[in-house]
Amino acid sequence: MTIEKPLHLTLIAGARPNFMKIASLVHAIKQKQQAGCAIAYTLVHTGQHYDSKLSDVFFEDLQIPLPDVNLEVGSGSHARQTAEIMIRFEDFIRANPTDWVIVVGDVNSTLACTIVAKKLGIPVAHVEAGIRSGDQSMPEEINRLVTDSIADLFFTTSIYANQHLLREGKNERQVHLVGNTMIDSLVRNRERFTAPAVFDKKNLTAGDYYLMTLHRPSNVDDAAVLQSLLEQIIQAIGNMPLVFPVHPRTRKKLEELAFQWPPSILLCDPLRYLEFLYLVQHARAVITDSGGIQEETTYLGVPCLTLRANTERPETIHQGTNLLIGDDMGLLNRSLAQIEQRAWKKGSIPDYWDGKAGERIVERLVQLNIAE
Ligand code: UD1
């Protein structure tokens, strides 16, 4: 008779886009537990995002338990925030040993917890590893490069990510193309998407509005850049209503601008997960500088215009519905005209984006535990 060695995972979440990825892992672990597998997890929230609209409501919408611990680091410069996460996570993980630290995405929490775990000799698995924008002016690119340079196991969303990791010297046995945990959450919750208040209040109808998000430092941190971007977008969309949920980072800058909003722009606070995805699913097009939204629009077949010069998610362009606009407002105008004529590319869903990435990840960790 073989006695199964129990497996313990410590999952790290810090900022909004992490919660959808972690939720998929939590559901997959629970499934394994129900099947009798000796697996347990601890969910650590670093507290990088602390506003309820960027954090708490996501646990409810994603139907996952609240974190076991919140390190409450809050905001700060990159160095301060990263350092504070490291200090607090080091104390936590010393007192609460684990078999694996699992980090997701590319935020400061991903980087900080990876460094701490590795220096304590704890193996790290990176979910959404290997994506690269090639642009080191993005803080996330630095986080990706450093995390992937020392992590032990790499779970990827695309063949491009595998290629980057292999080129950077990783061994094939460490790199697993498993699909997309953010899409897992979308697939799981699709029937539960709910119209937000702004939808009914403003009499919006499916397919007859645009949706926009902006929060990249390169677009919003400089007031003059933000102002000029908004003026050009407003001109490009004409009279079509545009819903604009405003990230706290962007809100701060907008407060300095006293911007004159035309009635077609519908500003609101950051939305809950189920409400935001309802708006994505029914939008005529999405204008964004987010990473995750490029993936969600590709999955849902909604045109996406990305206000960035590059992307770490090229499959959304080559295969999906995404186009990089950069700061070329002529291209934005032409693209919107094409969308209005219903002439936008249809796109297809990348391989393994089927709602089962979390299950594949947990299965792999369980198999490794048995093999040890
Ligand atoms: C972070 C991630 C980014 C991710 C984004 C999603 C890094 C480097 N960046 O960027 O990859 O796409 O989250 O939202 O990890 N703030 C609040 N309330 C909060 C959190 C932040 O008001 O709950 C304010 C802070 O005071 C700060 C600003 O928002 O001024 C930015 O927050 P921060 O966590 O540093 O980065 P994000 O821009 O949110």
Side-chain angles (χ1 to χ4, degrees):
M1 193 178 90
T2 55
I3 297 176
E4 204 183 323
K5 184 159 65 83
L7 172 64
H8 184 273
L9 309 175
T10 296
L11 312 178
I12 309 296
R16 182 169 60 176
N18 292 164
F19 305 132
M20 296 71 130
K21 296 167 195 168
I22 286 292
S24 153
L25 299 176
V26 169
H27 290 301
I29 293 169
K30 290 192 163 179
Q31 206 174 310
K32 275 279 174 204
Q33 287 171 334
Q34 279 156 11
C37 181
I39 180 169
Y41 74 93
T42 302
L43 175 52
V44 176
H45 187 335
T46 63
Q48 179 177 341
H49 280 177
Y50 44 90
D51 278 2
S52 127
K53 290 193 172 70
L54 292 189
S55 174
D56 306 0
V57 290
F58 283 80
F59 290 84
E60 214 180 300
D61 276 3
L62 294 162
Q63 299 179 309
I64 52 170
L66 289 174
D68 297 286
V69 61
N70 190 322
L71 303 179
E72 296 181 348
V73 296
S75 301
S77 69
H78 281 269
R80 278 181 200 285
Q81 188 178 59
T82 307
E84 201 57 54
I85 299 168
M86 289 178 69
I87 292 165
R88 296 187 192 192
F89 183 61
E90 186 181 57
D91 287 345
F92 175 83
I93 203 72
R94 272 188 201 280
N96 299 276
T98 189
D99 296 314
W100 284 92
V101 168
I102 316 288
V103 295
V104 299
D106 50 22
V107 302
N108 288 342
S109 303
T110 313
L111 166 76
C113 294
T114 299
I115 295 175
V116 169
K118 286 296 294 182
K119 290 206 166 180
L120 291 173
I122 305 166
V124 173
H126 184 201
V127 173
E128 199 187 274
I131 62 174
R132 300 283 181 267
S133 67
D135 174 3
Q136 292 194 15
S137 70
M138 277 179 84
E140 292 81 2
E141 183 75 351
I142 316 265
N143 293 345
R144 292 177 199 125
L145 286 165
V146 177
T147 300
D148 286 343
S149 71
I150 54 177
D152 301 278
L153 195 55
F154 305 89
F155 293 112
T156 64
T157 49
S158 76
I159 190 70
Y160 301 104
N162 282 43
Q163 287 165 0
H164 292 136
L165 290 165
L166 295 178
R167 209 177 300 136
E168 288 167 19
K170 304 303 170 200
N171 165 328
E172 274 185 4
R173 286 191 309 278
Q174 297 173 284
V175 181
H176 303 281
L177 175 52
V178 289
N180 191 318
T181 50
M182 188 172 245
I183 298 302
D184 289 359
S185 282
L186 188 162
V187 170
R188 184 185 178 90
N189 293 296
R190 199 169 177 177
E191 301 304 317
R192 300 171 59 234
F193 295 168
T194 331
V198 60
F199 193 83
D200 294 328
K201 216 163 83 194
K202 299 291 178 183
N203 290 319
L204 297 177
T205 50
D208 288 334
Y209 63 91
Y210 299 132
L211 175 64
M212 178 168 83
T213 75
L214 285 178
H215 76 281
R216 288 271 151 237
S218 56
N219 283 332
V220 308
D221 279 4
D222 180 320
V225 169
L226 178 59
Q227 168 138 10
S228 144
L229 190 58
L230 289 171
E231 282 167 356
Q232 296 184 77
I233 291 168
I234 286 168
Q235 206 172 14
I237 63 165
N239 293 324
M240 181 74 90
L242 177 144
V243 185
F244 181 19
V246 185
H247 186 282
R249 181 182 203 102
T250 313
R251 182 169 293 279
K252 279 188 196 157
K253 205 42 81 178
L254 286 176
E255 280 160 9
E256 292 172 25
L257 284 179
F259 200 76
Q260 293 300 313
W261 298 102
S264 54
I265 307 291
L266 310 175
L267 296 164
C268 61
D269 281 337
L271 294 167
R272 302 177 68 119
Y273 177 68
L274 297 175
E275 294 179 334
F276 183 73
L277 278 183
Y278 182 94
L279 287 186
V280 175
Q281 184 171 25
H282 296 291
R284 183 170 297 185
V286 177
I287 301 171
T288 191
D289 59 9
S290 152
I293 297 170
Q294 296 173 50
E295 298 177 341
E296 290 164 332
T297 46
T298 275
Y299 186 84
L300 292 169
V302 174
C304 181
L305 306 176
T306 298
L307 299 176
R308 285 176 45 189
N310 49 54
T311 180
E312 57 291 330
R313 292 160 164 98
E315 64 279 13
T316 63
I317 293 181
H318 301 146
Q319 226 185 312
T321 52
N322 187 23
L323 181 73
L324 285 182
I325 298 294
D327 57 4
D328 182 346
M329 292 297 131
L331 182 57
L332 179 70
N333 280 305
R334 292 194 298 282
S335 301
L336 288 172
Q338 216 178 327
I339 289 164
E340 291 310 307
Q341 290 156 13
R342 306 286 193 260
W344 198 248
K345 56 183 171 175
K346 291 280 167 279
S348 62
I349 297 174
D351 287 349
Y352 299 109
W353 289 21
D354 58 0
K356 295 187 188 312
E359 289 170 34
R360 293 189 189 103
I361 291 167
V362 172
E363 180 60 30
R364 182 73 203 149
L365 290 163
V366 167
Q367 291 305 325
L368 278 175
N369 193 49
I370 294 170
E372 264 173 17

